Amino acid sequence: MKKLLIIGQVWPEPTSSAAGTRMIQLIDCFKKTEFEITFACAASKSDFSFDLKSKDVNEVEIKLNDESFNQFIKDLNPAIVLFDRFMIEEQYSWRVNQECPNALKILDTEDLHFLRNARQTASKKGIDFTNELLFSDLAKREIASILRSDLSLIISKKEIEILEKEFKIDESLLYYLPFLEENISEEKVKSWKKFEERKHFMFIGNFIHEPNYNCVQVLKSEIWPILRKKLPKAELHIYGAYPTQKVLQLNNPTERFFVKGRAENAQETMSLYKVLLAPIQFGAGVKGKFVDAMQTGTPNITTKIGAEAMQENLNWNGYIANDTEDFIEKACLLYENEKQWEDAQNNGIEILNSHYNRHLFEDKFLEKINDLEQNLIPHRNHNFIGQVLQHHTNQSTKYMSLWIEQKNKIS
């Protein structure tokens, strides 16, 4: 049985974030070929960490900047190593190369951090986003990580376009792998609450993620003050894991603005509401909240950035509105018009079943992995710049890590 090592930035929390859900989906995909999977992580577990042992995944606690990792991976000798985000590749790839040079190295980007950061910078400065903002020090780090890896998993076709056109990344290094969802069946649709059974607006998002806090700020200060006057019986409920005090203090019952905190089950919670509001101002990747909305028959209103790369040639699961007045108008329309609401719901079914059905992607992905394993040397030779980066960049990362390791021993 082949061994797969996943090195996580954190222990996956599918009830807290889309990133946690994504990781469990990847694990389930690899389990189809009966990989022996080990998940290793240097972070501490939380009360919400997923029990990976329930999926027969080995859990191993590792240390940052510590030689014990070298012995661990040497003994494990995995055929494939998957890095959870580029920061983990930076930290551990040189040790993987040293002990297991023939292991296939896969980077799961989650989303392009430098793209999200560039859009956030533009938003905070109140300037228009341009591609020039992409060429940052963060981009240098993330692009270097992509080049050092044998394959990078990209969740958004828009991000593949940026990598290929703006940064000239060879297509052989990139692989489009979206969220891997179950098909929405007729039986599931029949189980959904109907238009007249639902009430109120909602938002959901992990508050460790800056775009989500910004989104709530926009709702609180720009959208809800007007929308609540137009719909005097409606309430807005805010959900999300790890809310800080600055989030919690936004709660105001007199304004019918309720901060609820963590939702134990995002989809069960979302299924109770009539409309999801998500005026996303910046971000990257694909937003898990909209996948949950489609899985629960909950129409939504978002921005162009929010819906990016999700609908392709299909109609959106609600409306896309980029200015406040239009956003509020569309929110009222969805909330009060049953026909518009049902049409939006049906659009969501079509998007998810056409673009996120796991059966469309899993087998092809596993075939790609098998092909790379069989042709690893020519694949790496085709990416000689990656080998150059392995030689130089990893040397600097290596000696910084060794210096920290020695410093820790002394202290």
Side-chain angles (χ1 to χ4, degrees), residues 270-289:
M270 191 176 288
S271 69
L272 304 174
Y273 289 87
K274 189 168 283 186
V275 178
L276 166 69
L277 301 179
I280 296 171
Q281 305 299 298
F282 55 85
V286 171
K287 317 304 183 290
K289 58 178 64 65

Side-chain angles (χ1 to χ4, degrees), residues 86-202:
F86 82 91
M87 300 80 80
I88 294 301
E89 188 277 338
E90 285 183 329
Q91 179 66 229
Y92 292 100
S93 64
W94 71 267
R95 296 182 186 271
V96 173
N97 294 335
Q98 185 171 295
E99 305 299 341
C100 303
N102 296 320
L104 177 68
K105 298 188 295 296
I106 302 174
L107 170 64
D108 185 33
T109 59
E110 294 291 349
D111 60 35
L112 291 180
H113 294 67
F114 71 84
L115 174 59
R116 185 204 314 161
N117 183 261
R119 287 173 170 168
Q120 181 173 340
T121 298
S123 178
K124 287 190 172 183
K125 289 184 177 181
I127 61 176
D128 291 335
F129 171 80
T130 63
N131 284 345
E132 284 73 21
L133 292 172
L134 295 174
F135 295 86
S136 61
D137 287 345
L138 185 61
K140 293 170 187 174
R141 290 175 56 195
E142 195 162 11
I143 295 296
S145 182
I146 289 172
L147 289 169
R148 285 193 299 263
S149 302
D150 295 312
L151 192 69
S152 290
L153 307 183
I154 312 296
I155 204 167
S156 161
K157 289 183 179 179
K158 176 65 175 179
E159 294 186 352
I160 287 183
E161 178 185 322
I162 289 171
L163 290 170
E164 291 182 350
K165 290 188 176 181
E166 299 297 329
F167 295 92
K168 313 305 179 187
I169 304 298
D170 193 288
E171 63 179 0
S172 66
L173 299 178
L174 308 174
Y175 193 86
Y176 173 64
L177 192 69
F179 285 115
L180 304 171
E181 299 292 322
E182 292 294 339
N183 202 53
I184 298 177
S185 64
E186 290 185 13
E187 289 73 22
K188 185 169 187 176
V189 173
K190 290 177 181 178
S191 73
W192 289 343
K193 289 184 179 297
K194 306 301 181 185
F195 178 83
E196 64 275 6
E197 297 176 298
R198 302 194 191 203
K199 61 181 180 178
H200 303 319
F201 295 96
M202 66 96 69

Side-chain angles (χ1 to χ4, degrees), residues 140-402:
K140 293 170 187 174
R141 290 175 56 195
E142 195 162 11
I143 295 296
S145 182
I146 289 172
L147 289 169
R148 285 193 299 263
S149 302
D150 295 312
L151 192 69
S152 290
L153 307 183
I154 312 296
I155 204 167
S156 161
K157 289 183 179 179
K158 176 65 175 179
E159 294 186 352
I160 287 183
E161 178 185 322
I162 289 171
L163 290 170
E164 291 182 350
K165 290 188 176 181
E166 299 297 329
F167 295 92
K168 313 305 179 187
I169 304 298
D170 193 288
E171 63 179 0
S172 66
L173 299 178
L174 308 174
Y175 193 86
Y176 173 64
L177 192 69
F179 285 115
L180 304 171
E181 299 292 322
E182 292 294 339
N183 202 53
I184 298 177
S185 64
E186 290 185 13
E187 289 73 22
K188 185 169 187 176
V189 173
K190 290 177 181 178
S191 73
W192 289 343
K193 289 184 179 297
K194 306 301 181 185
F195 178 83
E196 64 275 6
E197 297 176 298
R198 302 194 191 203
K199 61 181 180 178
H200 303 319
F201 295 96
M202 66 96 69
F203 170 82
I204 190 167
N206 186 325
F207 288 109
I208 294 175
H209 196 50
E210 181 65 22
N212 288 324
Y213 173 62
N214 176 264
C215 206
V216 173
Q217 286 181 303
V218 173
L219 286 168
K220 175 74 172 182
S221 62
E222 299 178 24
I223 292 172
W224 189 243
I226 301 173
L227 184 55
R228 68 186 173 89
K229 292 177 181 178
K230 291 180 176 290
L231 299 170
K233 293 184 179 180
E235 298 175 0
L236 175 54
H237 296 183
I238 307 296
Y239 292 90
Y242 301 108
T244 59
Q245 186 57 39
K246 66 181 181 180
V247 176
L248 296 173
Q249 68 185 12
L250 297 176
N251 185 71
N252 191 329
T254 61
E255 295 178 353
R256 307 192 305 278
F257 189 98
F258 297 92
V259 178
K260 299 284 190 175
R262 177 186 290 271
E264 290 189 16
N265 185 303
Q267 291 193 7
E268 286 184 7
T269 298
M270 191 176 288
S271 69
L272 304 174
Y273 289 87
K274 189 168 283 186
V275 178
L276 166 69
L277 301 179
I280 296 171
Q281 305 299 298
F282 55 85
V286 171
K287 317 304 183 290
K289 58 178 64 65
F290 299 129
V291 172
D292 287 337
M294 295 172 199
Q295 285 282 15
T296 57
T298 309
N300 71 82
I301 305 165
T302 189
T303 60
K304 182 179 178 181
I305 290 293
E308 182 178 80
M310 291 195 72
Q311 67 184 113
E312 296 190 28
N313 59 331
L314 300 176
N315 293 320
W316 185 241
N317 174 218
Y319 292 104
I320 297 171
N322 291 310
D323 69 80
T324 301
E325 185 178 343
D326 189 33
F327 195 100
I328 293 168
E329 179 185 332
K330 294 300 193 297
C332 291
L333 181 61
L334 264 187
Y335 197 83
E336 296 184 306
N337 190 307
E338 184 173 358
K339 175 65 167 56
Q340 296 290 333
W341 189 86
E342 290 179 346
D343 287 346
Q345 190 178 70
N346 290 329
N347 291 341
I349 296 170
E350 189 173 6
I351 290 172
L352 193 137
N353 287 353
S354 300
H355 299 324
Y356 297 94
N357 184 344
R358 67 181 181 87
H359 299 292
L360 299 175
F361 298 98
E362 287 183 334
D363 290 344
K364 291 180 181 178
F365 170 59
L366 293 171
E367 289 173 8
K368 175 68 174 181
I369 297 303
N370 183 65
D371 180 66
L372 280 178
E373 285 186 289
Q374 302 301 318
N375 299 281
L376 190 55
I377 292 177
H379 176 75
R380 286 180 174 174
N381 288 341
H382 181 71
N383 177 34
F384 190 70
I385 297 299
Q387 295 186 44
V388 172
L389 286 171
Q390 294 278 13
H391 180 74
H392 290 286
T393 310
N394 276 0
Q395 289 297 309
S396 61
T397 306
K398 170 183 176 180
Y399 286 109
M400 174 59 77
S401 182
L402 290 173

Side-chain angles (χ1 to χ4, degrees), residues 60-78:
V60 177
E61 295 182 10
I62 54 177
K63 296 179 180 179
L64 287 170
N65 304 305
D66 195 280
E67 62 185 353
S68 61
F69 179 85
N70 292 62
Q71 190 61 51
F72 157 68
I73 195 170
K74 185 177 181 179
D75 292 341
L76 185 65
N77 192 27

